[in-house]
Structures are given as structure tokens and as C-alpha cells.
Amino acid sequence: MPKLGVNIDHVATVRQARKTVEPDPVWAAALAELGGADGITVHLREDRRHIQDRDVRILRETVRVKLNLEMSIADEITDFALDIMPDQCTLVPEKREEVTTEGGLDLIANEDRVRRCIDRLLEAGIEVSLFIDPDEKQIAMADKMNVHAVELHTGQYADAVDVETQTRELDLLSEAAAQAHSLSMLLHMGHGLTYRNVGPIVEVPEVSELNIGHSIVSRAVMVGMERAVREMKALLTPPIQLIAE
Ligand code: PXP
């Protein structure tokens, strides 16, 4: 049964739309915990478009479950992470013009910079996960970088417009999951997962953590954060087996 990391970035997006103080992602994190979140995830982007430094600082004090900081490999952000000491850092690619993270981090093209960032975080005792595409070569490179986990990018699966494409993308994710597991890395997944498409992902046996944001925050606008998290958590939880007498 995978753990649920709730990404609360888009609570901050609504706040930043008015550059005011509400809604506060710190409150959202507390309600997500009440709903059963196993972790709180935030992405401190270099352009600070949603989550602010202040949010991460307060969350470090208040979050009682795992705090996962998504971040680029920029030195400035790495310095901040080392100051805050989240439980886990997930390294992601970042482009200023993108609406959201597009594609996984290319570990091969950026090997030296990624290694430098990882080494600093590991030395400080922070667990590191690498957000990558379900690609054999990327997973092999992740293995050489001594990280404890990889997070497979599920965007292609989530965006699939027909069943054949979705099945193909799910197969790619399943193969990549088996490869990462065989190399003794923990297997996380995320991006674009929703109440409708999460089912087959939960069935992938190696998956230990899902990071889900936009869909939960969207539902929370309608039904409240605690209930939205509870409903997603239920989809990750196998039905209780009743033993017949
Ligand atoms: N995992 C990673 C590495 C991400 O960058 C994001 C988006 O911030 C997510 C998970 C969550 O994606 P979504 O908001 O589409 O659920």
C-alpha cells in the first residue's frame, strides 16, 4: 500500500494570485494530515511563484509527517534546503516558462551538477529522491548516485488520450519500477495523478509513495482538504478482508 504525499503548492497558488495571506498552505498541511496524509510535499521554485520561503520554514516546525521538498539543483535552493533540513528532497528539473514540471530530471546530461547537489544533501543526512522518466538509462544512473529513491514521472500515463497509450505508459512505469526495485531503490511516483487514474498505479507492487497535488487541491476547493485527502487515501488502501467463520 503506497504512502500518500500531498502536494499543497496550489493552495499557495491561490494565495499568490492576490499576493495576500490566504489560503495558507500551512493550514492546508494540517488538514491534509488530519485526512490521513503520510507526507506533505512542497516545491520551492526558483521564481517563488507559489510556495514561499516562509511556508517551508513554518512547515518544518508544524508538519508531523514526512516533509518532502521538491527542488531544482540550483545552489541557492540547495543552501536553503540545508538550512531547513526537510526529511526528503526530491530533485526535479525546472524551467521558468513551464506551467508545471515537464519531464523528469535528465541525470545523464546533468550528471556533475546533480551529483554535487546530492552529495551536499546526503552529507547533511537528508534523504534524496530523483524525479525521472521511466527510462532504463536514467534509473541505472540514479543507482550510481547513491540515492534512496526515484520518483517516476507519471505525466505521460496521466495525459494518455486512449486506452492503448495508457496501457503502454503503464507498462513502461511497471518495468521501470521493477528495475529500480531490483537495484534496491525505493520507488515513488507522481505527476498528473487523479482520483480517476490512480487505480492502476496503486496496483504496481513496488510503489511505496505517491505524490499528488493538483487533483487533491482541486477537490479540496469543493469538499474541503481533510475530506479530499481522506478520499484519495481510501483509493490507496486495499479493502479490509473479512475472514469468513
Ligand atoms: N511529483 C513531482 C516531482 C512534481 O513536480 C509534482 C508537481 O509539482 C507532483 C509530483 C505532483 O503533481 P500533480 O500536482 O500533477 O499531482
Side-chain angles (χ1 to χ4, degrees):
M1 180 177 114
K3 297 218 153 111
L4 175 60
V6 176
N7 180 315
I8 53 172
D9 290 350
H10 294 309
V11 176
T13 301
V14 176
R15 177 189 62 191
Q16 296 312 110
R18 286 291 176 90
K19 302 243 175 342
T20 177
V21 294
E22 64 182 5
D24 192 331
V26 175
W27 291 27
L31 293 168
E33 277 196 41
L34 275 177
D38 301 296
I40 299 296
T41 296
V42 287
H43 184 175
L44 184 73
R45 295 187 72 104
E46 289 171 54
D47 64 10
R48 307 297 199 272
R49 69 171 72 154
H50 39 52
I51 292 293
Q52 305 296 305
D53 298 31
R54 163 268 183 206
D55 302 330
V56 191
R57 286 189 196 287
I58 298 177
L59 288 168
R60 176 63 295 181
E61 299 295 322
T62 58
V63 168
R64 286 287 155 266
V65 289
K66 175 172 170 178
L67 180 64
N68 174 33
L69 180 66
E70 284 180 13
M71 54 178 267
S72 75
I73 56 173
D75 287 338
E76 176 238 345
I77 299 286
T78 311
D79 292 344
F80 181 82
L82 291 170
D83 188 29
I84 296 290
M85 292 295 288
D87 302 300
Q88 173 178 283
C89 288
T90 301
L91 305 188
V92 302
E94 206 175 292
K95 290 193 227 110
R96 288 200 174 235
E97 60 287 3
E98 70 193 355
V99 175
T100 181
T101 316
E102 293 164 0
L105 185 59
D106 186 340
L107 305 180
I108 296 161
N110 299 291
E111 182 179 349
D112 291 347
R113 289 178 62 223
V114 176
R115 271 188 194 276
R116 198 164 41 137
C117 177
I118 292 173
D119 290 347
R120 292 183 68 200
L121 296 170
L122 289 181
E123 202 170 309
I126 301 172
E127 292 191 339
V128 179
S129 173
L130 300 175
F131 183 58
I132 55 174
D133 290 326
D135 175 275
E136 200 183 326
K137 294 199 183 78
Q138 296 292 336
I139 294 168
M141 180 56 91
D143 178 48
K144 290 194 199 144
M145 292 179 162
N146 295 325
V147 291
H148 87 292
V150 289
E151 178 172 332
L152 297 179
H153 187 297
T154 48
Q156 300 292 104
Y157 162 80
D159 290 344
V161 288
D162 52 54
V163 177
E164 292 79 52
T165 317
Q166 194 184 46
T167 307
R168 200 171 54 241
E169 293 299 333
L170 186 61
D171 287 347
L172 279 177
L173 289 165
S174 302
E175 284 162 26
Q179 183 192 354
H181 186 70
S182 75
L183 294 167
S184 302
M185 285 183 282
L186 289 178
L187 198 279
H188 305 167
M189 291 198 200
H191 204 91
L193 297 178
T194 69
Y195 294 79
R196 289 185 196 284
N197 68 20
V198 78
I201 294 291
V202 175
E203 299 292 312
V204 176
E206 295 86 0
V207 67
S208 66
E209 177 179 311
L210 296 178
N211 283 298
I212 308 181
H214 187 265
S215 191
I216 292 177
V217 173
S218 302
R219 183 168 288 220
V221 169
M222 302 295 168
V223 305
M225 180 56 97
E226 187 184 343
R227 179 168 149 196
V229 173
R230 218 175 272 295
E231 288 175 359
M232 179 60 82
K233 185 80 180 163
L235 296 176
L236 271 53
T237 310
I240 296 166
Q241 304 287 329
L242 293 176
I243 300 166
E245 299 255 313

